[in-house]
Amino acid sequence: MNDLLNFGANQMSGLRYECRCGRNHNVDIENIMIGSGVISSLNQAVQRFAGRKIFIIEDKNTRMAAGDRVEALLEEEIEVYKYVFDDEHFIPNESSIGRIVVEIPEDTGLIVAVGSGSINDMARFISFKLHIPYIIIATAPSMDGYTSTVSPLIVDGVKTTYNAVYPNMIIADTDILKEAPMHMLHAGLGDILGKYTALADWRISSMLNGEYFCDLVEELVLETIKKCMGVALKIKDRNPEAIESIMEALVLSGLAIGMVGASRPASGEEHHLSHCWEMVFMDRGIHTKWLHGNYVGIGVGIIIEAYRYLSSLNIKKVYEKGTYRHLDRDKWINVLSDVYGKNAENVIRYKADFINFDTDIREKNMIKIMKNWDGIKHVCDGFLPDPETVRNVLKESGAVYHPKEVGIDRELFRKSFIAAKDIRKRYGVLQLLEDIGELEAAADEITDIYYSRL
Ligand SMILES: [Zn+2]
Ligand SMILES: [Zn+2]
């Protein structure tokens, strides 16, 4: 029954697993290769596409990191075409997608994406739209989207998630991965640490809202986070085993999303914070080198503080105080407008029906939370690591851990803590704090921790 927990990512391809949670967990990927030198198997791996055209998608950086090598390996027997984006910061938008549709030969049999986040996101979407299988040659262990079936793309200037497909194959050669820029290695670590709070939010939501939950998938993800915590300090030396553990964990995290059919085990309020900051920077025209995973890593410490704040409350006193009964609509709109700028209207419209202004519903939610208080306390105290531990792992591995380091000042921090949950409808600790009328007080306390005490 628990065999799944002993599987490495390499053994997960083709998985068909009847789980005790009542669902089947499947992995529709033909081959997952992670390790030193695995790229040399590329030619053999694509043999069944021999005689068809292969189209490589890469940018000038990923071409240097692995693309030239890929081309040399493939050209031995196969007709290879390619498109190299020469943008300094490649953006997976309508223009990039259109460019590929223009360049790709009509009878292409296989797409080979060489890169990490954005190149992969775009290739996955094009593969889905054109019905051409694709494989990914990973160049950095920076995010868990390698094994995703959706694609975040920028359309009309807004980050939107589109349906896509699994890659046929993932080839992640640690000799290539370990040479990636250091902030990309740290981003991978940050995205993995984010699973702690993602899993905690998932548990809380299953408790309060009866949302589907699989404890085996939870355990699978939790084991891989712990393994990464153990090797994190070796990342700064580009230690191959540490890089392999991070990549394994990122692949497994992506597979976990596919297994449960939702990103629940991989993304919670720490991701909402990250997405919120990414939107703020985009809105204000600020370009930073920091990646999704760097922001997520910072978010984990903050969200664990939120859990800690929750745990410190005497829920009966919160009930007696009664502030949870009323949520001020104008105040809510004002904070969202301050944070999201020209995107605020979209966010308000998107979330308006999911925010509870109704006193009766708020009362019911409060009662439900009080009934489940012991379980909630257990998630706060027994499940999550100390926020200091997480911050130290990031700090000592050389990664950013404080929002100040990525350009978030005290005021934006406090407001984004309040507004972050509203870019999604997913339930987590920030929504819980709002339900009990404590979100603002938690924002004050945690702003003080980060901007006066750390
Ligand atoms: Zn299950
Ligand atoms: Zn992520």
Side-chain angles (χ1 to χ4, degrees):
M1 188 67 153
N2 289 328
D3 299 355
L4 197 60
L5 296 174
N6 302 320
F7 278 16
N10 291 0
Q11 294 154 289
M12 296 286 246
S13 45
L15 182 82
R16 295 273 174 276
Y17 192 83
E18 229 175 273
C19 185
R20 61 188 183 224
C21 72
R23 290 195 186 179
N24 292 335
H25 300 313
N26 300 336
V27 176
D28 294 314
I29 300 179
E30 227 169 82
N31 204 344
I32 300 170
M33 292 187 245
I34 304 173
S36 169
V38 292
I39 193 148
S40 50
S41 327
L42 175 64
N43 204 322
Q44 205 189 346
V46 301
Q47 269 316 307
R48 71 185 176 85
F49 297 97
R52 315 275 312 268
K53 286 174 186 160
I54 290 188
F55 187 67
I56 301 175
I57 305 174
E58 58 196 341
D59 68 20
K60 59 182 182 185
N61 297 321
T62 64
R63 180 187 180 172
M64 280 207 307
D68 288 338
R69 179 95 191 273
V70 165
E71 211 177 315
L73 281 165
L74 289 176
E75 266 179 347
E76 285 170 18
E77 290 167 56
I78 293 166
E79 213 177 336
V80 177
Y81 296 79
K82 69 178 173 205
Y83 187 78
V84 186
F85 287 94
D86 65 359
D87 321 50
E88 200 43 61
H89 297 285
F90 170 78
I91 301 173
N93 58 10
E94 303 94 322
S95 156
S96 308
I97 294 163
R99 171 54 66 187
I100 292 302
V101 175
V102 170
E103 300 290 339
I104 193 167
E106 281 158 33
D107 44 354
T108 295
L110 178 71
I111 293 170
V112 177
V114 181
S116 58
S118 302
I119 289 275
N120 189 31
D121 289 336
M122 189 187 62
R124 189 187 315 127
F125 176 73
I126 290 172
S127 163
F128 173 67
K129 282 279 176 156
L130 302 184
H131 305 286
I132 301 170
Y134 93 106
I135 65 176
I136 175 81
I137 313 292
T139 54
S142 55
M143 47 89 230
D144 63 2
Y146 287 113
T147 39
S148 174
T149 52
V150 293
S151 275
L153 303 170
I154 311 290
V155 174
D156 291 330
V158 180
K159 195 170 184 174
T160 314
T161 302
Y162 288 86
N163 283 334
V165 280
Y166 269 139
N168 275 50
M169 240 179 272
I170 298 163
I171 299 181
D173 192 321
T174 46
D175 297 339
I176 294 168
L177 300 177
K178 74 182 173 60
E179 300 307 327
M182 192 49 79
H183 73 285
M184 296 185 95
L185 304 183
H186 288 146
L189 173 66
D191 208 14
I192 288 303
L193 294 179
K195 314 313 169 201
Y196 267 130
T197 39
L199 293 174
D201 282 347
W202 192 22
R203 266 184 175 240
I204 295 263
S205 187
S206 83
M207 225 181 275
L208 293 174
N209 308 319
E211 197 178 313
Y212 161 76
F213 182 82
C214 171
D215 63 339
L216 192 67
V217 169
E218 177 193 55
E219 207 176 333
L220 183 72
V221 176
L222 206 51
E223 284 305 308
T224 66
I225 318 173
K226 286 181 184 160
K227 208 167 154 196
C228 290
M229 288 282 272
V231 298
L233 301 189
K234 295 183 190 164
I235 294 174
K236 58 179 179 302
D237 307 319
R238 301 182 181 277
N239 174 285
E241 285 95 285
I243 304 300
E244 189 166 334
S245 295
I246 299 287
M247 189 66 197
E248 277 252 336
L250 291 167
V251 166
L252 278 172
S253 160
L255 295 180
I257 296 173
M259 284 180 194
V260 305
S263 63
R264 258 300 181 190
S267 165
E269 302 274 30
E270 73 301 321
H271 271 70
H272 295 166
L273 272 178
S274 163
H275 294 315
C276 170
W277 296 333
E278 286 172 69
M279 268 178 82
V280 169
F281 290 144
M282 204 154 74
D283 178 59
R284 298 181 185 180
I286 299 166
H287 296 283
T288 77
K289 71 165 182 176
W290 305 110
L291 303 168
H292 163 79
N294 301 116
Y295 297 130
V296 171
I298 294 170
V300 190
I302 298 163
I303 298 301
I304 299 180
E305 293 287 2
Y307 270 101
R308 213 182 216 200
Y309 177 89
L310 183 68
S311 161
S312 73
L313 295 171
N314 178 328
I315 196 68
K316 285 204 184 88
K317 285 202 172 133
V318 174
Y319 181 70
E320 284 158 18
K321 201 165 67 176
T323 35
Y324 67 89
R325 288 198 186 95
H326 182 69
L327 181 69
D328 191 314
R329 189 184 292 264
D330 290 340
K331 217 170 165 188
W332 177 67
I333 289 175
N334 285 342
V335 176
L336 260 59
S337 303
D338 284 353
V339 172
Y340 295 111
K342 55 181 178 290
N343 292 314
E345 224 175 287
N346 289 339
V347 178
I348 292 165
R349 201 177 319 119
Y350 168 79
K351 201 59 192 284
D353 295 342
F354 287 81
I355 292 280
N356 291 320
F357 295 106
D358 184 294
T359 315
D360 290 343
I361 298 177
R362 296 191 67 84
E363 184 69 26
K364 272 187 204 147
N365 283 342
M366 183 66 182
I367 303 285
K368 190 168 63 177
I369 290 164
M370 285 172 64
K371 273 190 190 147
N372 285 284
W373 191 245
D374 288 347
I376 293 169
K377 282 276 282 180
H378 174 74
V379 175
C380 299
D381 306 332
F383 182 78
L384 286 166
D386 214 71
E388 208 52 41
T389 308
V390 169
R391 285 192 291 261
N392 281 339
V393 163
L394 288 167
K395 207 190 305 185
E396 284 164 29
S397 68
V400 284
Y401 72 98
H402 196 294
K404 248 186 334 200
E405 293 174 278
V406 295
I408 292 153
D409 64 23
R410 190 180 181 114
E411 199 199 336
L412 174 59
F413 177 84
R414 185 185 177 277
K415 286 182 176 165
S416 62
F417 184 88
I418 295 169
K421 67 178 175 51
D422 291 322
I423 48 169
R424 296 285 187 274
K425 289 167 186 167
R426 173 166 291 178
Y427 197 86
V429 67
L430 297 178
Q431 183 59 53
L432 202 169
L433 285 166
E434 197 259 84
D435 282 345
I436 63 172
E438 288 288 333
L439 186 60
E440 284 199 41
D444 290 338
E445 166 73 11
I446 296 165
T447 304
D448 202 53
I449 292 175
Y450 271 82
Y451 287 83
S452 302
R453 291 183 239 162
L454 276 187

Short mmCIF file of all heavy atoms in Angstrom, two decimals, residues 143-144 191 195 266-267 271 275 292-293 296, ligand 2:
data_model
loop_
_atom_site.label_atom_id
_atom_site.label_comp_id
_atom_site.label_asym_id
_atom_site.label_seq_id
_atom_site.Cartn_x
_atom_site.Cartn_y
_atom_site.Cartn_z
N MET A 143 11.40 25.53 -10.53
CA MET A 143 9.95 25.55 -10.24
C MET A 143 9.38 24.16 -10.48
O MET A 143 10.02 23.32 -11.07
CB MET A 143 9.24 26.61 -11.09
CG MET A 143 9.61 26.60 -12.56
SD MET A 143 8.59 25.50 -13.56
CE MET A 143 9.80 24.56 -14.46
N ASP A 144 8.13 23.95 -10.03
CA ASP A 144 7.57 22.60 -10.13
C ASP A 144 6.65 22.41 -11.34
O ASP A 144 5.86 21.49 -11.37
CB ASP A 144 6.86 22.21 -8.83
CG ASP A 144 5.67 23.09 -8.53
OD1 ASP A 144 5.38 23.97 -9.34
OD2 ASP A 144 5.03 22.89 -7.48
N ASP A 191 10.24 27.14 -3.85
CA ASP A 191 8.98 26.54 -4.30
C ASP A 191 8.68 25.25 -3.52
O ASP A 191 7.53 24.98 -3.20
CB ASP A 191 9.07 26.26 -5.82
CG ASP A 191 7.69 26.30 -6.49
OD1 ASP A 191 6.73 26.79 -5.87
OD2 ASP A 191 7.57 25.85 -7.64
N LYS A 195 5.54 24.01 -0.07
CA LYS A 195 4.59 22.89 0.06
C LYS A 195 4.17 22.69 1.51
O LYS A 195 3.12 22.13 1.79
CB LYS A 195 5.16 21.58 -0.50
CG LYS A 195 5.82 21.67 -1.87
CD LYS A 195 5.01 22.43 -2.90
CE LYS A 195 5.82 22.72 -4.15
NZ LYS A 195 5.29 23.81 -4.95
N ALA A 266 0.42 21.59 -3.73
CA ALA A 266 1.62 22.33 -4.10
C ALA A 266 1.50 23.83 -3.95
O ALA A 266 2.49 24.54 -4.06
CB ALA A 266 1.97 22.01 -5.57
N SER A 267 0.31 24.31 -3.70
CA SER A 267 0.13 25.76 -3.72
C SER A 267 -0.94 26.21 -2.74
O SER A 267 -2.08 25.76 -2.80
CB SER A 267 -0.25 26.16 -5.17
OG SER A 267 -0.76 27.45 -5.22
N HIS A 271 1.71 30.90 -2.07
CA HIS A 271 1.67 31.17 -3.51
C HIS A 271 0.81 32.40 -3.80
O HIS A 271 1.08 33.15 -4.73
CB HIS A 271 1.17 29.96 -4.28
CG HIS A 271 2.26 29.02 -4.68
ND1 HIS A 271 2.94 28.25 -3.76
CD2 HIS A 271 2.82 28.74 -5.89
CE1 HIS A 271 3.87 27.54 -4.40
NE2 HIS A 271 3.82 27.82 -5.69
N HIS A 275 2.05 35.40 -6.01
CA HIS A 275 1.31 35.89 -7.19
C HIS A 275 0.94 37.37 -7.01
O HIS A 275 0.98 38.14 -7.96
CB HIS A 275 0.04 35.08 -7.41
CG HIS A 275 0.29 33.64 -7.77
ND1 HIS A 275 1.24 33.27 -8.69
CD2 HIS A 275 -0.27 32.50 -7.34
CE1 HIS A 275 1.25 31.95 -8.79
NE2 HIS A 275 0.36 31.45 -7.97
N HIS A 292 9.41 33.32 -9.40
CA HIS A 292 8.28 32.81 -8.62
C HIS A 292 8.73 32.11 -7.33
O HIS A 292 8.26 32.43 -6.24
CB HIS A 292 7.51 31.86 -9.55
CG HIS A 292 6.57 30.96 -8.86
ND1 HIS A 292 5.33 31.38 -8.44
CD2 HIS A 292 6.68 29.67 -8.50
CE1 HIS A 292 4.72 30.37 -7.86
NE2 HIS A 292 5.50 29.33 -7.88
N GLY A 293 9.67 31.17 -7.45
CA GLY A 293 10.09 30.38 -6.30
C GLY A 293 10.81 31.19 -5.23
O GLY A 293 10.74 30.86 -4.04
N VAL A 296 7.98 32.72 -3.36
CA VAL A 296 7.28 31.69 -2.58
C VAL A 296 8.07 31.39 -1.31
O VAL A 296 7.51 31.31 -0.21
CB VAL A 296 7.07 30.40 -3.41
CG1 VAL A 296 6.54 29.27 -2.53
CG2 VAL A 296 6.10 30.65 -4.56
ZN ZN B 2 5.10 27.29 -7.26
#
